[in-house]
Amino acid sequence: MDGMTATGVRAHARIAARADGRGGTALPVLDSDGPLALRRTRGSGGEARVMVVGAMSGPLGGDRFALDARVEEGARLHVGSAAATIALPGQTGGAARYDVRLDVADGGELRWLPEQLIAAGGSDLYVTTRAEIGVGARLVLREEQVLGRFGEEPGRLGSRLTVRVAGRTVLDQELACGPGAPGGWDGPAVLAGHRSVGQLVVARPEFAERPPAARMLGENAAVIPLAGPAVLVSAVAPDALRLRRVLDEALALLG
């Protein structure tokens, strides 16, 4: 672990996946760090699976977490988490930060499917997710953010999601919610009173020739083709359970 300072905990965990030459995937790098504990679990069909297990509470105010995952050519990696991540206020004050960097080489495949991120009352967190994928790479990336636990006001949550395919940016979006966020975040143009928001990005080489059509999924979700072999599903819902249901249905629809 990078350690604990007067301003919070520093932690940087790393995963690297590589084809093992026998139809499977090896994990030459699986480095846990402090609260970011990585555990390999049973995979299937040549896919390696890793679970992120929270070894302590956080991120708290002032913490700085980072998680990098690299998938090399021909490797297949599935990353999930054992439980929701809960952003909490810290004793040191100040905002927390959580940076995720994903790199999928040409012909690699990554399924990034963590549990929800919950912004508890009084917390202040900025999270970034940046995915770089190569030609012929495949990606399924899910983000789910929940504003507050049951019956409490939300904390402040800022997020930025960037996806680049073959060196070209196909998605770069930011969202700020909760106390102190720019006005209108809870209005009809953004969350419309909902407390759960999610994104699903699916990138597949076959989308270059047959991109999914733009469409609504019920009243609160939409399929949006991106400027590349990728598609975005954006959704809001009253709670985390209904948000997951919508995103699962969207993923099934996309095959």
Side-chain angles (χ1 to χ4, degrees), residues 17 21 31 58 80 97 109 124-125 140 144 185 193 197 205:
D31 291 341
R97 188 175 180 105
E109 180 175 339
D124 188 351
L125 175 66
V140 175
E144 298 169 311
W185 66 269
V197 57

Side-chain angles (χ1 to χ4, degrees), residues 79-233:
V79 179
S81 57
T85 297
I86 304 178
L88 298 165
Q91 295 181 350
T92 62
R97 188 175 180 105
Y98 195 162
D99 296 314
V100 174
R101 297 293 179 266
L102 311 175
D103 189 353
V104 189
D106 300 355
E109 180 175 339
L110 173 63
R111 295 173 63 84
W112 186 264
L113 300 170
E115 294 301 310
Q116 298 91 353
L117 171 62
I118 301 173
S123 64
D124 188 351
L125 175 66
Y126 186 71
V127 57
T128 68
T129 302
R130 184 179 180 90
E132 293 266 1
I133 70 173
V135 176
R138 296 174 179 270
L139 174 71
V140 175
L141 184 159
R142 182 182 69 209
E143 285 193 343
E144 298 169 311
Q145 297 159 353
V146 181
L147 301 178
R149 293 168 292 191
F150 181 77
E152 75 174 359
E153 291 298 311
R156 178 178 174 127
L157 178 62
S159 66
R160 183 173 183 177
L161 173 61
T162 306
V163 179
R164 288 168 52 87
V165 180
R168 179 184 181 188
T169 300
V170 300
L171 176 66
D172 191 354
Q173 68 174 27
E174 288 195 75
L175 179 66
C177 304
W185 66 269
D186 202 23
V190 187
L191 297 188
H194 294 94
R195 284 296 178 265
S196 296
V197 57
Q199 289 77 231
L200 178 71
V201 177
V202 181
R204 294 178 180 154
E206 54 266 32
F207 286 172
E209 298 296 331
R210 300 183 301 278
R215 59 179 294 183
M216 293 296 297
L217 299 176
E219 296 182 355
N220 299 317
V223 176
I224 306 165
L226 301 176
V231 63
L232 168 70
V233 178

Side-chain angles (χ1 to χ4, degrees), residues 28 31 64 68 72 114 121 140 227 238:
D31 291 341
R64 298 291 185 271
D68 298 343
E72 297 184 9
V140 175

Side-chain angles (χ1 to χ4, degrees), residues 229-252:
V231 63
L232 168 70
V233 178
S234 186
V236 295
D239 55 56
L241 181 61
R242 277 178 276 192
L243 177 65
R244 175 65 59 84
R245 186 179 300 131
V246 169
L247 294 181
D248 283 349
E249 290 173 355
L251 186 56

